[in-house]
Amino acid sequence: GNRDDDPNVLHADVSWSDDDGHTWRHRRLTSQVKDSSWGGLFATSGSGIQLQRGAHVGRLVQQFVIRVRGANYGASLVSDDHGATWRMGALVGPGVDENKAVELADGTVLLNVRSKPYRLVAESRDGGLTYGALRADTTLVDPGNNGAIVRLEGAGARDWLVFSNTADSLTRRRLTLRLSCDGGRSWASSRVLVEGPSAYSSLAILPGGDVGVLFERGEYAAISFARVPVSWVGRCR
């Protein structure tokens, strides 16, 4: 179902603040964005993106996981009017769990998907509305855990990406940062941030260009924050 007042439906809402978080307003999107034949749906952990280039500049893109006929699919929820209205893009899958999107220099949206033993990737040429075929990135070993991916900005950083996940095929451990100099086609360098147990992570580019890493540490004992210079992970030439 997709009735906004149905207590048995997993809903999609948007919340916003115009006063730096002191007060909030909320709006339900379920009837607008959810097909009534779908099962559950949820926004993936972490952050969405706003497109910066190409035909869809300004578009807000938030990744979702959607249950359809017993299988999991991904999709991008998008807004072209800064959140006034929203629409769900086409389903990609099955076999898509929590997923993240990043915009490349040419406007392509790169999808990066939680999957084991390797992450899955796909590309969109229409700002996240549809994606091509999924394929495994065998460099990105994963136990089936949520990761994060961001694009670096600045002089020379045309398609430099930073990616984080627990780089172990079986266990949520070895939280690792990786650097790509070519839009995710290859990963030039990597470095382990936490060797032991760790889980979900989220990335942001901080003022000055460092990478902010927010992550679950230990056996879900704490949420920790690290500020990491990109040069600590590696260098693009």
Side-chain angles (χ1 to χ4, degrees):
N2 63 357
R3 281 177 41 189
D4 288 336
D5 60 351
D6 189 340
N8 297 312
V9 167
L10 194 59
H11 290 287
D13 291 4
V14 62
S15 303
W16 71 99
S17 172
D18 296 321
D19 56 8
D20 294 325
H22 290 286
T23 62
W24 291 84
R25 287 180 283 173
H26 315 279
R27 182 159 52 91
R28 180 141 292 171
L29 303 178
T30 307
S31 61
Q32 185 180 29
V33 305
K34 182 179 184 288
D35 188 300
S36 62
S37 68
W38 295 347
L41 82 171
F42 64 91
T44 63
S45 304
S47 58
I49 61 173
Q50 184 175 33
L51 302 187
Q52 304 295 317
R53 50 191 54 78
H56 308 289
V57 62
R59 173 176 287 176
L60 304 178
V61 182
Q62 169 62 50
Q63 297 310 115
F64 265 73
V65 179
I66 300 167
R67 190 75 165 171
V68 182
R69 294 183 295 277
N72 287 350
Y73 293 77
S76 296
L77 182 69
V78 306
S79 174
D80 291 312
D81 51 17
H82 208 64
T85 61
W86 296 82
R87 55 180 168 150
M88 192 71 78
L91 300 179
V92 56
V96 173
D97 206 320
E98 287 163 313
N99 55 97
K100 299 295 170 58
V102 63
E103 184 184 25
L104 304 182
D106 66 356
T108 297
V109 176
L110 176 66
L111 188 69
N112 187 288
V113 178
R114 164 180 170 169
S115 179
K116 61 180 181 181
Y118 307 112
R119 306 283 294 189
L120 302 176
V121 295
E123 290 86 29
S124 171
R125 310 292 181 186
D126 56 9
L129 289 179
T130 62
Y131 289 90
L134 291 161
R135 66 184 187 279
D137 186 334
T138 55
T139 301
L140 304 183
V141 176
D142 195 86
N145 189 22
N146 196 35
I149 190 167
V150 291
R151 180 175 178 266
L152 298 174
E153 300 289 346
R158 177 173 172 80
D159 261 339
W160 297 4
L161 307 179
V162 176
F163 171 78
S164 66
N165 80 319
T166 47
D168 188 288
S169 61
L170 299 175
T171 305
R172 291 183 175 184
R173 58 183 293 271
R174 290 181 58 83
L175 181 66
T176 301
L177 301 183
R178 297 183 188 271
L179 176 66
S180 173
C181 305
D182 56 10
R185 290 186 293 275
S186 65
W187 296 93
S189 54
S190 66
R191 193 159 181 184
V192 177
L193 183 64
V194 177
E195 182 64 44
S198 41
Y200 282 26
S201 57
S202 186
L203 300 177
I205 304 303
L206 304 177
D210 288 347
V211 180
V213 190
L214 188 70
F215 61 98
E216 293 176 314
R217 187 169 190 154
E219 297 289 349
Y220 310 104
I223 296 177
S224 298
F225 177 80
R227 185 185 187 111
V228 179
V230 175
S231 59
W232 183 86
V233 184
R235 296 184 182 276
C236 294
R237 297 179 179 179

